[in-house]
mmCIF file with all atom_site columns, all heavy atoms in Angstrom:
data_model
loop_
_atom_site.group_PDB
_atom_site.id
_atom_site.type_symbol
_atom_site.label_atom_id
_atom_site.label_alt_id
_atom_site.label_comp_id
_atom_site.label_asym_id
_atom_site.label_entity_id
_atom_site.label_seq_id
_atom_site.pdbx_PDB_ins_code
_atom_site.Cartn_x
_atom_site.Cartn_y
_atom_site.Cartn_z
_atom_site.occupancy
_atom_site.B_iso_or_equiv
_atom_site.pdbx_formal_charge
_atom_site.auth_seq_id
_atom_site.auth_comp_id
_atom_site.auth_asym_id
_atom_site.auth_atom_id
_atom_site.pdbx_PDB_model_num
ATOM 1   N N   . GLY A 1 44 ? 118.614 90.595  -18.722 1.00 0.00 ? 54 GLY A N   1
ATOM 2   C CA  . GLY A 1 44 ? 117.874 89.846  -19.750 1.00 0.00 ? 54 GLY A CA  1
ATOM 3   C C   . GLY A 1 44 ? 116.923 90.739  -20.538 1.00 0.00 ? 54 GLY A C   1
ATOM 4   O O   . GLY A 1 44 ? 116.647 90.487  -21.708 1.00 0.00 ? 54 GLY A O   1
ATOM 5   N N   . LEU A 1 45 ? 116.430 91.796  -19.883 1.00 0.00 ? 55 LEU A N   1
ATOM 6   C CA  . LEU A 1 45 ? 115.527 92.716  -20.575 1.00 0.00 ? 55 LEU A CA  1
ATOM 7   C C   . LEU A 1 45 ? 116.263 93.435  -21.708 1.00 0.00 ? 55 LEU A C   1
ATOM 8   O O   . LEU A 1 45 ? 115.675 93.752  -22.741 1.00 0.00 ? 55 LEU A O   1
ATOM 9   C CB  . LEU A 1 45 ? 114.921 93.734  -19.592 1.00 0.00 ? 55 LEU A CB  1
ATOM 10  C CG  . LEU A 1 45 ? 113.858 94.661  -20.183 1.00 0.00 ? 55 LEU A CG  1
ATOM 11  C CD1 . LEU A 1 45 ? 112.588 93.888  -20.547 1.00 0.00 ? 55 LEU A CD1 1
ATOM 12  C CD2 . LEU A 1 45 ? 113.506 95.795  -19.229 1.00 0.00 ? 55 LEU A CD2 1
ATOM 13  N N   . GLY A 1 46 ? 117.559 93.654  -21.508 1.00 0.00 ? 56 GLY A N   1
ATOM 14  C CA  . GLY A 1 46 ? 118.371 94.333  -22.514 1.00 0.00 ? 56 GLY A CA  1
ATOM 15  C C   . GLY A 1 46 ? 118.373 93.609  -23.856 1.00 0.00 ? 56 GLY A C   1
ATOM 16  O O   . GLY A 1 46 ? 118.455 94.237  -24.912 1.00 0.00 ? 56 GLY A O   1
ATOM 17  N N   . VAL A 1 47 ? 118.271 92.277  -23.809 1.00 0.00 ? 57 VAL A N   1
ATOM 18  C CA  . VAL A 1 47 ? 118.248 91.471  -25.034 1.00 0.00 ? 57 VAL A CA  1
ATOM 19  C C   . VAL A 1 47 ? 116.996 91.795  -25.858 1.00 0.00 ? 57 VAL A C   1
ATOM 20  O O   . VAL A 1 47 ? 116.994 91.695  -27.083 1.00 0.00 ? 57 VAL A O   1
ATOM 21  C CB  . VAL A 1 47 ? 118.283 89.958  -24.682 1.00 0.00 ? 57 VAL A CB  1
ATOM 22  C CG1 . VAL A 1 47 ? 118.166 89.083  -25.906 1.00 0.00 ? 57 VAL A CG1 1
ATOM 23  C CG2 . VAL A 1 47 ? 119.562 89.619  -23.912 1.00 0.00 ? 57 VAL A CG2 1
ATOM 24  N N   . MET A 1 48 ? 115.919 92.192  -25.170 1.00 0.00 ? 58 MET A N   1
ATOM 25  C CA  . MET A 1 48 ? 114.652 92.460  -25.845 1.00 0.00 ? 58 MET A CA  1
ATOM 26  C C   . MET A 1 48 ? 114.478 93.926  -26.227 1.00 0.00 ? 58 MET A C   1
ATOM 27  O O   . MET A 1 48 ? 113.443 94.320  -26.756 1.00 0.00 ? 58 MET A O   1
ATOM 28  C CB  . MET A 1 48 ? 113.477 92.005  -24.959 1.00 0.00 ? 58 MET A CB  1
ATOM 29  C CG  . MET A 1 48 ? 113.536 90.545  -24.591 1.00 0.00 ? 58 MET A CG  1
ATOM 30  S SD  . MET A 1 48 ? 113.866 89.467  -26.009 1.00 0.00 ? 58 MET A SD  1
ATOM 31  C CE  . MET A 1 48 ? 112.198 89.049  -26.507 1.00 0.00 ? 58 MET A CE  1
ATOM 32  N N   . LYS A 1 49 ? 115.523 94.736  -25.958 1.00 0.00 ? 59 LYS A N   1
ATOM 33  C CA  . LYS A 1 49 ? 115.493 96.125  -26.429 1.00 0.00 ? 59 LYS A CA  1
ATOM 34  C C   . LYS A 1 49 ? 115.766 96.127  -27.924 1.00 0.00 ? 59 LYS A C   1
ATOM 35  O O   . LYS A 1 49 ? 116.458 95.229  -28.431 1.00 0.00 ? 59 LYS A O   1
ATOM 36  C CB  . LYS A 1 49 ? 116.588 96.944  -25.740 1.00 0.00 ? 59 LYS A CB  1
ATOM 37  C CG  . LYS A 1 49 ? 116.259 97.392  -24.344 1.00 0.00 ? 59 LYS A CG  1
ATOM 38  C CD  . LYS A 1 49 ? 117.283 98.461  -23.982 1.00 0.00 ? 59 LYS A CD  1
ATOM 39  C CE  . LYS A 1 49 ? 117.532 98.592  -22.525 1.00 0.00 ? 59 LYS A CE  1
ATOM 40  N NZ  . LYS A 1 49 ? 118.747 99.350  -22.228 1.00 0.00 ? 59 LYS A NZ  1
ATOM 41  N N   . LYS A 1 50 ? 115.255 97.114  -28.632 1.00 0.00 ? 60 LYS A N   1
ATOM 42  C CA  . LYS A 1 50 ? 115.534 97.214  -30.066 1.00 0.00 ? 60 LYS A CA  1
ATOM 43  C C   . LYS A 1 50 ? 117.049 97.255  -30.270 1.00 0.00 ? 60 LYS A C   1
ATOM 44  O O   . LYS A 1 50 ? 117.734 98.106  -29.695 1.00 0.00 ? 60 LYS A O   1
ATOM 45  C CB  . LYS A 1 50 ? 114.871 98.457  -30.659 1.00 0.00 ? 60 LYS A CB  1
ATOM 46  C CG  . LYS A 1 50 ? 113.364 98.292  -30.788 1.00 0.00 ? 60 LYS A CG  1
ATOM 47  C CD  . LYS A 1 50 ? 112.653 99.581  -31.179 1.00 0.00 ? 60 LYS A CD  1
ATOM 48  C CE  . LYS A 1 50 ? 111.157 99.317  -31.222 1.00 0.00 ? 60 LYS A CE  1
ATOM 49  N NZ  . LYS A 1 50 ? 110.346 100.527 -31.036 1.00 0.00 ? 60 LYS A NZ  1
ATOM 50  N N   . GLY A 1 51 ? 117.592 96.340  -31.044 1.00 0.00 ? 61 GLY A N   1
ATOM 51  C CA  . GLY A 1 51 ? 119.037 96.251  -31.288 1.00 0.00 ? 61 GLY A CA  1
ATOM 52  C C   . GLY A 1 51 ? 119.799 95.544  -30.190 1.00 0.00 ? 61 GLY A C   1
ATOM 53  O O   . GLY A 1 51 ? 121.006 95.317  -30.303 1.00 0.00 ? 61 GLY A O   1
ATOM 54  N N   . GLY A 1 52 ? 119.118 95.173  -29.117 1.00 0.00 ? 62 GLY A N   1
ATOM 55  C CA  . GLY A 1 52 ? 119.764 94.567  -27.953 1.00 0.00 ? 62 GLY A CA  1
ATOM 56  C C   . GLY A 1 52 ? 120.363 93.199  -28.228 1.00 0.00 ? 62 GLY A C   1
ATOM 57  O O   . GLY A 1 52 ? 121.444 92.873  -27.726 1.00 0.00 ? 62 GLY A O   1
ATOM 58  N N   . ALA A 1 53 ? 119.662 92.388  -29.023 1.00 0.00 ? 63 ALA A N   1
ATOM 59  C CA  . ALA A 1 53 ? 120.138 91.022  -29.308 1.00 0.00 ? 63 ALA A CA  1
ATOM 60  C C   . ALA A 1 53 ? 121.480 91.063  -30.042 1.00 0.00 ? 63 ALA A C   1
ATOM 61  O O   . ALA A 1 53 ? 122.357 90.235  -29.793 1.00 0.00 ? 63 ALA A O   1
ATOM 62  C CB  . ALA A 1 53 ? 119.096 90.265  -30.134 1.00 0.00 ? 63 ALA A CB  1
ATOM 63  N N   . ASP A 1 54 ? 121.649 92.050  -30.916 1.00 0.00 ? 64 ASP A N   1
ATOM 64  C CA  . ASP A 1 54 ? 122.909 92.161  -31.668 1.00 0.00 ? 64 ASP A CA  1
ATOM 65  C C   . ASP A 1 54 ? 124.059 92.640  -30.796 1.00 0.00 ? 64 ASP A C   1
ATOM 66  O O   . ASP A 1 54 ? 125.221 92.379  -31.078 1.00 0.00 ? 64 ASP A O   1
ATOM 67  C CB  . ASP A 1 54 ? 122.743 93.140  -32.844 1.00 0.00 ? 64 ASP A CB  1
ATOM 68  C CG  . ASP A 1 54 ? 121.874 92.544  -33.943 1.00 0.00 ? 64 ASP A CG  1
ATOM 69  O OD1 . ASP A 1 54 ? 121.834 91.294  -34.038 1.00 0.00 ? 64 ASP A OD1 1
ATOM 70  O OD2 . ASP A 1 54 ? 121.240 93.305  -34.681 1.00 0.00 ? 64 ASP A OD2 1
ATOM 71  N N   . LYS A 1 55 ? 123.718 93.370  -29.733 1.00 0.00 ? 65 LYS A N   1
ATOM 72  C CA  . LYS A 1 55 ? 124.760 93.933  -28.859 1.00 0.00 ? 65 LYS A CA  1
ATOM 73  C C   . LYS A 1 55 ? 125.207 92.958  -27.779 1.00 0.00 ? 65 LYS A C   1
ATOM 74  O O   . LYS A 1 55 ? 126.185 93.194  -27.075 1.00 0.00 ? 65 LYS A O   1
ATOM 75  C CB  . LYS A 1 55 ? 124.238 95.215  -28.190 1.00 0.00 ? 65 LYS A CB  1
ATOM 76  C CG  . LYS A 1 55 ? 124.134 96.398  -29.130 1.00 0.00 ? 65 LYS A CG  1
ATOM 77  C CD  . LYS A 1 55 ? 123.828 97.659  -28.332 1.00 0.00 ? 65 LYS A CD  1
ATOM 78  C CE  . LYS A 1 55 ? 123.298 98.760  -29.245 1.00 0.00 ? 65 LYS A CE  1
ATOM 79  N NZ  . LYS A 1 55 ? 122.087 99.387  -28.725 1.00 0.00 ? 65 LYS A NZ  1
ATOM 80  N N   . SER A 1 56 ? 124.494 91.854  -27.631 1.00 0.00 ? 66 SER A N   1
ATOM 81  C CA  . SER A 1 56 ? 124.772 90.879  -26.585 1.00 0.00 ? 66 SER A CA  1
ATOM 82  C C   . SER A 1 56 ? 126.176 90.280  -26.748 1.00 0.00 ? 66 SER A C   1
ATOM 83  O O   . SER A 1 56 ? 126.603 89.954  -27.840 1.00 0.00 ? 66 SER A O   1
ATOM 84  C CB  . SER A 1 56 ? 123.699 89.785  -26.676 1.00 0.00 ? 66 SER A CB  1
ATOM 85  O OG  . SER A 1 56 ? 123.809 88.909  -25.618 1.00 0.00 ? 66 SER A OG  1
ATOM 86  N N   . LYS A 1 57 ? 126.882 90.150  -25.603 1.00 0.00 ? 67 LYS A N   1
ATOM 87  C CA  . LYS A 1 57 ? 128.280 89.681  -25.640 1.00 0.00 ? 67 LYS A CA  1
ATOM 88  C C   . LYS A 1 57 ? 128.442 88.358  -24.882 1.00 0.00 ? 67 LYS A C   1
ATOM 89  O O   . LYS A 1 57 ? 127.658 88.050  -24.006 1.00 0.00 ? 67 LYS A O   1
ATOM 90  C CB  . LYS A 1 57 ? 129.196 90.718  -24.975 1.00 0.00 ? 67 LYS A CB  1
ATOM 91  C CG  . LYS A 1 57 ? 129.124 92.107  -25.599 1.00 0.00 ? 67 LYS A CG  1
ATOM 92  C CD  . LYS A 1 57 ? 130.092 92.238  -26.747 1.00 0.00 ? 67 LYS A CD  1
ATOM 93  C CE  . LYS A 1 57 ? 130.101 93.637  -27.346 1.00 0.00 ? 67 LYS A CE  1
ATOM 94  N NZ  . LYS A 1 57 ? 129.300 93.741  -28.583 1.00 0.00 ? 67 LYS A NZ  1
ATOM 95  N N   . LEU A 1 58 ? 129.494 87.628  -25.207 1.00 0.00 ? 68 LEU A N   1
ATOM 96  C CA  . LEU A 1 58 ? 129.799 86.375  -24.511 1.00 0.00 ? 68 LEU A CA  1
ATOM 97  C C   . LEU A 1 58 ? 130.082 86.633  -23.027 1.00 0.00 ? 68 LEU A C   1
ATOM 98  O O   . LEU A 1 58 ? 130.670 87.655  -22.690 1.00 0.00 ? 68 LEU A O   1
ATOM 99  C CB  . LEU A 1 58 ? 131.038 85.710  -25.125 1.00 0.00 ? 68 LEU A CB  1
ATOM 100 C CG  . LEU A 1 58 ? 130.894 84.997  -26.466 1.00 0.00 ? 68 LEU A CG  1
ATOM 101 C CD1 . LEU A 1 58 ? 132.262 84.475  -26.904 1.00 0.00 ? 68 LEU A CD1 1
ATOM 102 C CD2 . LEU A 1 58 ? 129.906 83.846  -26.381 1.00 0.00 ? 68 LEU A CD2 1
ATOM 103 N N   . SER A 1 59 ? 129.697 85.684  -22.174 1.00 0.00 ? 69 SER A N   1
ATOM 104 C CA  . SER A 1 59 ? 129.941 85.847  -20.735 1.00 0.00 ? 69 SER A CA  1
ATOM 105 C C   . SER A 1 59 ? 131.413 85.633  -20.397 1.00 0.00 ? 69 SER A C   1
ATOM 106 O O   . SER A 1 59 ? 131.913 86.107  -19.396 1.00 0.00 ? 69 SER A O   1
ATOM 107 C CB  . SER A 1 59 ? 129.078 84.870  -19.940 1.00 0.00 ? 69 SER A CB  1
ATOM 108 O OG  . SER A 1 59 ? 129.381 83.534  -20.287 1.00 0.00 ? 69 SER A OG  1
ATOM 109 N N   . LYS A 1 60 ? 132.103 84.859  -21.244 1.00 0.00 ? 70 LYS A N   1
ATOM 110 C CA  . LYS A 1 60 ? 133.529 84.607  -21.040 1.00 0.00 ? 70 LYS A CA  1
ATOM 111 C C   . LYS A 1 60 ? 134.247 84.833  -22.363 1.00 0.00 ? 70 LYS A C   1
ATOM 112 O O   . LYS A 1 60 ? 133.650 84.685  -23.430 1.00 0.00 ? 70 LYS A O   1
ATOM 113 C CB  . LYS A 1 60 ? 133.759 83.150  -20.615 1.00 0.00 ? 70 LYS A CB  1
ATOM 114 C CG  . LYS A 1 60 ? 133.406 82.847  -19.178 1.00 0.00 ? 70 LYS A CG  1
ATOM 115 C CD  . LYS A 1 60 ? 133.866 81.430  -18.840 1.00 0.00 ? 70 LYS A CD  1
ATOM 116 C CE  . LYS A 1 60 ? 133.828 81.149  -17.365 1.00 0.00 ? 70 LYS A CE  1
ATOM 117 N NZ  . LYS A 1 60 ? 132.512 81.088  -16.776 1.00 0.00 ? 70 LYS A NZ  1
#
Side-chain angles (χ1 to χ4, degrees):
Chain A
L55 186 68
V57 176
M58 302 312 267
K59 281 194 206 165
K60 286 171 182 156
D64 288 334
K65 287 189 197 132
S66 187
K67 303 272 183 260
L68 284 177
S69 60
K70 284 188 168 68

